[in-house]
Amino acid sequence: MLIGFAGHLTGYNGSFSFLKPGQSYGSHSYVGMRGFCAFLGACLPPFVFLIVFRMSLSVGVALLASMLVLLDTGCITLSQYILLDPILMFFILGAVLSMVMFQSYSSRPFSALWWLWLALTGVNLAGAMGVKFVGLFVVILVGVNTARDLWKLLGDLTLTLDVILYHLAARVICLILLPLTLYALIFVVHFTVLNKSGPGDGFFSSAFQSRLIGNNLHNASMPEYLAYGSVVTLKNVRAAAGYLHSHWHLYPEGVGARQQQVTTYSHKDHNNLWIVKKHNAEYDSESPLEFVHHGDIIRLEHKATGCNLHSHQQEAPLTKKHLQVTAYGTNGTGDSNDFWRIEVTSDKHKVKVLRSQIRLLHLATSCVLGSTGKTLPKWGWEQSEVTCSPYLRESPDTLWNVEDHEHHRLPKISVSILKPSFLEALVESHIVMLRANSGMKPKEHEVTSKPWHWPINFQGLRFSGVNTTDVRIYLLGNPVIWWLNLSGLILYVVLALCAAVSLQRGFILCSEVKEVFTLLLGSGGQLMSWWLLHYVPFFFMGRVLYYHHYFPAMLFSSMLTAVTLSSLLQLCTTVLCPSRQQAVNAIGMSLLAGALLYSFYLFHPLAYGMVGSLADEPDSPMAGLRWMDSWDF
C-alpha cells in the first residue's frame, strides 16, 4: 500500500503489468516508487548508528556498525528496487530504535519524550507486521524487553503499586492497543481501496467475494435452492481452499486408476462447473421440477467433459490412507461408483445456495469427499488434491457450499445479505494469507536457498541481466562484511563465555576490562538474542525460502560484530599504558574501516551494475572476485 501510495503521488497510473524482471517501464512513472524504497533503505545505517550508540555509548562502535550496513552491497541492491524488504527493515529497526530510545528515558517516566518513543515503538510494530508476517519477530523482541522492564519495576521497592500499574497501562495502550488499532486501520483502507474483483477471488469464501465489485456474486441474484438439472460450482469451506475442478488430463501411470483428474482450483474457471443429476435418471426439462434434499443420492456430471464424479478402492495420489477421486464415464454415463449421498449439516432439508454446508458421501465405499490442501506435482498442474476420506468426522476439509448456481426454471434472489462484517473479512483474509504463505512452492528455474546458506553468503540471486552486453545486477552481500559478521558471531560466543566465567568466579579485573565484559554480556547479549530471533525460526518453516529472508537478521549481526570487534580491540589494548590505548584503538578502527571501504570498492559493481565479460573470464572487471563457485555472476 505504501509503494502504491508513493506511485500515486508521483504520477504512476497503476497500469504497468510487472510480469517479469528486466521488463521495460516505457513511459510509466516508476521513479517515485523506487525512490521511496531507496529512501527507507537509506535510513537503515543512521538507525543502526543510533541504536548501537545508545546501547554502547561509543561513537566509534556506532560508526563501525553503521559502516557494516552502509557498505553492504546486498542492502544497497535490495533498497534500489521496488521491493518489500527495505520497508520491512525500516519498520523493524524503527521499532528497535524507538524501544532503545524509550528505555533511555527510564529515569524520566511519563515525560513527553518518554510517551513519544513508547508510542513510536507501537507505530513501528504495526508497520512491521503490516509489511510481512515475519514482522512478528520484532513484536516478540519488544514484548520480551517490555516484560523484562516491568519485572525490574516490580522489584523497585521505591515505587508504589499504583505507579507500577500506570507503567503497565501505558505499555498496554502504546504497545498493544495502538498497534492493533493501526493494523486494523490499514485493512480498513485496504478493503476500501481494493474493492474490485481479480484473479485471486477464488481463494476467499463465497460471502467474502460478494463484497467485490465485478465479481459474479456482487449484487448478484441466483436461485435460492438446489434442484436437479442445476449447474453449480462447489467451493470447499476450508479457508483458502478452491473449487471442485476437473479437466481432460488423466492421472499418470502408477498413480491410482488412469482416469480423469479431479482437484480443487482457486481460480474461476469453466472447468469448475458440475451438473446435478439423479443417480438413476437423466435430467428431463419437461418433467416436474424437483429440489435436492438432505439424504438424496445424486450424480455430479462435469459439464465440460461429460464425466461423472467418481471414487473407488484405489489410494489417493498423496494422502495414501484416503481413496482416489476421479472423473469417469462418457456423456454422463458411468457406473455405481458415481453415486454420492448428499448431507446438509445444519438445516437438514433443501440445499440453500451459499448458505448450506454440505457433505458428499460415496455410496459404494462409505467415504466422504474432501480437499486435503496438499499441492499436487506438475502432472496435476500444482492444484490441490481431492480425496475420498474414510474418516467421517465433520471438518472444513469435507464441507462444501454451492457458490454459482444456474437453473433456467427457478426464480432468483439477491445474495447481498451475505456480505461479511469487517471483522469477519479481516479474519478470513489472514487465514488465506497464512495458508497461501505456508504453501508457497518454488517456480521453475527459481533460485531458492536454505537457512544455513545465508550466514556464509553461499549463493546470491541474479536480479537483472544475463549476457555480456547486459548491465547485470546480482544480489550478494559484501563477502568481507558477511564473513566478518560470521567470524564476529563465533568470536562473541568465545568472549562472552570468558566474560561470564570471569565475572562468576570473581576474578580480579581492572575497571576497563569489567566495563568491556559488562558491555559484551549486556548489549552484546541482547543483539545476539535479536539475531537468533530473526534467524532460527526459518529452520522450522515448511515454505520455500529465499536469500533475502536473512537480511533483517544480518542487520543485528552487523551491530553485534561492531560491539564484539571493538571489545576485542579494547581488551587487547589494556596491556598498554593509558596514553597509548586511545591511539591504538583509533588506529585499529581506522584500519578496519579502510578494509571495509576497499571491499566495497571491489564489489560495488554487484549492486550498481556489471558490464563486459562474466566473472570467470580473465578480461572481466570482476575477474578474481568470484571467490565461491556458487556465486554465478
Side-chain angles (χ1 to χ4, degrees), residues 218-487:
H218 181 72
N219 292 334
S221 59
M222 62 179 66
E224 183 176 11
Y225 293 107
L226 194 65
Y228 290 105
S230 293
V231 179
V232 300
T233 59
L234 291 175
K235 193 172 195 310
N236 194 255
V237 170
R238 183 172 60 88
Y243 299 94
L244 188 66
H245 177 96
S246 188
H247 40 234
W248 290 102
H249 302 280
L250 308 181
Y251 286 101
E253 290 287 349
V255 181
R258 192 162 167 75
Q259 296 174 5
Q260 192 168 296
Q261 296 174 17
V262 172
T263 63
T264 53
Y265 185 48
S266 296
H267 301 281
K268 302 278 189 176
D269 190 279
H270 70 279
N271 280 324
N272 300 340
L273 295 174
W274 301 82
I275 305 170
V276 181
K277 296 185 174 183
K278 290 185 175 182
H279 74 289
N280 56 359
E282 288 297 315
Y283 172 67
D284 182 2
S285 59
E286 302 298 325
S287 62
L289 188 66
E290 290 186 65
F291 289 104
V292 178
H293 292 79
H294 170 78
D296 282 2
I297 300 171
I298 65 169
R299 278 180 300 142
L300 287 175
E301 180 187 326
H302 190 238
K303 186 178 180 184
T305 62
C307 296
N308 293 329
L309 187 68
H310 178 98
S311 187
H312 45 224
Q313 294 288 351
Q314 297 269 359
E315 65 182 20
L318 303 178
T319 311
K320 299 303 183 184
K321 292 185 178 180
H322 292 195
L323 300 182
Q324 182 188 33
V325 175
T326 68
Y328 173 76
T330 307
N331 296 325
T333 303
D335 61 24
S336 59
N337 282 328
D338 305 338
F339 301 161
W340 301 83
R341 176 180 283 112
I342 192 164
E343 286 188 353
V344 184
T345 58
S346 51
D347 176 19
K348 298 186 183 299
H349 188 52
K350 291 189 289 190
V351 179
K352 183 178 279 191
V353 173
L354 297 173
R355 287 294 183 91
S356 293
Q357 294 184 353
I358 62 173
R359 301 205 311 163
L360 293 169
L361 271 72
H362 191 240
L363 211 60
T365 60
S366 299
C367 58
V368 60
L369 185 75
S371 172
T372 63
K374 297 177 182 177
T375 303
L376 293 168
K378 286 186 170 43
W379 57 255
W381 304 92
E382 297 183 349
Q383 296 171 10
S384 295
E385 179 190 41
V386 169
T387 67
C388 201
S389 170
Y391 308 107
L392 301 182
R393 182 174 55 86
E394 188 175 299
S395 74
D397 293 343
T398 58
L399 291 174
W400 306 81
N401 69 269
V402 177
E403 183 171 294
D404 298 294
H405 182 208
E406 297 175 13
H407 200 301
H408 66 280
R409 297 172 63 188
L410 288 173
K412 297 179 178 181
I413 63 160
S414 172
V415 298
S416 59
I417 57 171
L418 296 172
K419 290 181 182 178
S421 66
F422 167 74
L423 188 59
E424 289 171 331
L426 182 68
V427 171
E428 181 176 343
S429 64
H430 279 70
I431 293 172
V432 169
M433 285 190 286
L434 284 166
R435 288 210 166 126
N437 183 65
S438 62
M440 286 182 72
K441 304 293 181 187
K443 301 181 182 71
E444 197 169 0
H445 306 304
E446 193 172 41
V447 179
T448 61
S449 61
K450 294 179 171 58
W452 69 266
H453 290 172
W454 303 337
I456 64 175
N457 217 18
F458 178 76
Q459 187 177 35
L461 190 64
R462 186 183 293 113
F463 263 41
S464 64
V466 178
N467 303 314
T468 55
T469 55
D470 298 330
V471 177
R472 303 183 300 279
I473 305 291
Y474 189 75
L475 176 64
L476 185 75
N478 183 329
V480 173
I481 290 175
W482 281 54
W483 292 344
L484 189 64
N485 283 347
L486 182 61
S487 304

Side-chain angles (χ1 to χ4, degrees), residues 122-268:
V123 170
N124 281 290
L125 290 180
M129 276 295 292
V131 177
K132 286 188 178 184
F133 280 137
V134 293
L136 179 64
F137 298 154
V138 78
V139 174
I140 296 171
L141 184 159
V142 171
V144 169
N145 275 269
T146 302
R148 189 183 64 177
D149 287 347
L150 288 171
W151 185 251
K152 286 181 180 177
L153 290 172
L154 189 62
D156 186 349
L157 300 181
T158 63
L159 299 178
T160 64
L161 186 59
D162 287 347
V163 173
I164 293 173
L165 289 175
Y166 290 149
H167 275 280
L168 175 62
R171 286 160 175 80
V172 168
I173 291 168
C174 291
L175 300 182
I176 297 177
L177 298 181
L178 176 61
L180 286 176
T181 302
L182 290 175
Y183 189 74
L185 284 173
I186 290 169
F187 278 87
V188 170
V189 178
H190 171 67
F191 291 144
T192 303
V193 173
L194 204 68
N195 61 351
K196 292 184 172 64
S197 177
D201 289 4
F203 287 95
F204 292 87
S205 70
S206 308
F208 190 100
Q209 292 181 45
S210 68
R211 302 174 64 257
L212 303 174
I213 299 169
N215 187 281
N216 63 321
L217 295 177
H218 181 72
N219 292 334
S221 59
M222 62 179 66
E224 183 176 11
Y225 293 107
L226 194 65
Y228 290 105
S230 293
V231 179
V232 300
T233 59
L234 291 175
K235 193 172 195 310
N236 194 255
V237 170
R238 183 172 60 88
Y243 299 94
L244 188 66
H245 177 96
S246 188
H247 40 234
W248 290 102
H249 302 280
L250 308 181
Y251 286 101
E253 290 287 349
V255 181
R258 192 162 167 75
Q259 296 174 5
Q260 192 168 296
Q261 296 174 17
V262 172
T263 63
T264 53
Y265 185 48
S266 296
H267 301 281
K268 302 278 189 176

Side-chain angles (χ1 to χ4, degrees), residues 484-503:
L484 189 64
N485 283 347
L486 182 61
S487 304
L489 290 167
I490 298 169
L491 183 61
Y492 173 77
V493 173
V494 174
L495 290 179
L497 188 61
C498 293
V501 171
S502 300
L503 294 174

